[in-house]
Amino acid sequence: MRGLTIRQPWAAAITYADKRVENRTWPTSYRGPVLIHASRTMDRRHGPMVAAAVRGLQLDMGAVLAVARITACHEDDGECTPWSLPGYFHHVLDEVTALPLPIPWAGAQGLWVPPAALMDRVREQLSLETASHVLREGP
């Protein structure tokens, strides 16, 4: 299990809209479950597509918002999704499941390992079926 800290409004676009690729300057070989964590920092450099996707949403910051699975990572091929940025590595996300209540947490850079106490709080908010499926290790 890993956590991935993402600036708002991008974390909300993943959690509540259809953003299924996270653009990063670094690749990852990791495949499996990941916590979607909203950083404490707002990224004000976004366009109308992001604004439309998150309009009306509360943009929680410094909290875990969702669980998902990283299913692939590839270099920009120019054909990934409308959310993909050229020149970045695209971390492909699937099975994004929003938590009913955001969990305040500090987060970290890169793919970080969530402590057991945080994972317990995440599991409390998921059905047994969702937890066993989305949080399972491996692809």
Side-chain angles (χ1 to χ4, degrees):
M1 180 59 148
R2 299 289 184 269
L4 185 60
T5 299
I6 303 165
R7 289 182 180 178
Q8 287 288 30
W10 308 106
I14 290 169
T15 302
Y16 306 113
D18 64 348
K19 184 176 189 284
R20 293 298 177 261
V21 65
E22 174 57 11
N23 300 289
R24 293 289 163 145
T25 58
W26 45 271
T28 184
S29 60
Y30 177 77
R31 304 291 180 271
V34 63
L35 300 180
I36 303 300
H37 175 266
S39 79
R40 295 180 189 175
T41 308
M42 181 71 68
D43 184 352
R44 304 221 183 265
R45 299 169 296 142
H46 55 79
M49 184 169 80
V50 176
V54 301
R55 182 172 289 121
L57 295 176
Q58 178 176 322
L59 300 181
D60 293 290
M61 297 172 70
V64 175
L65 305 180
V67 296
R69 297 187 65 76
I70 295 178
T71 58
C73 179
H74 58 84
E75 290 186 66
D76 173 43
D77 59 8
E79 301 177 10
C80 193
T81 76
W83 295 100
S84 303
L85 294 177
Y88 285 81
F89 289 94
H90 301 161
H91 297 206
V92 180
L93 303 168
D94 194 14
E95 301 180 56
V96 176
T97 304
L99 296 177
L101 296 170
I103 301 171
W105 203 262
Q109 292 185 337
L111 281 172
W112 46 275
V113 178
L118 175 56
M119 290 309 303
D120 289 344
R121 292 178 67 189
V122 168
R123 283 187 186 92
E124 286 174 357
Q125 294 196 41
L126 300 173
S127 70
L128 289 175
E129 180 181 342
T130 300
S132 64
H133 179 71
V134 177
L135 299 180
R136 77 183 187 282
E137 291 296 326

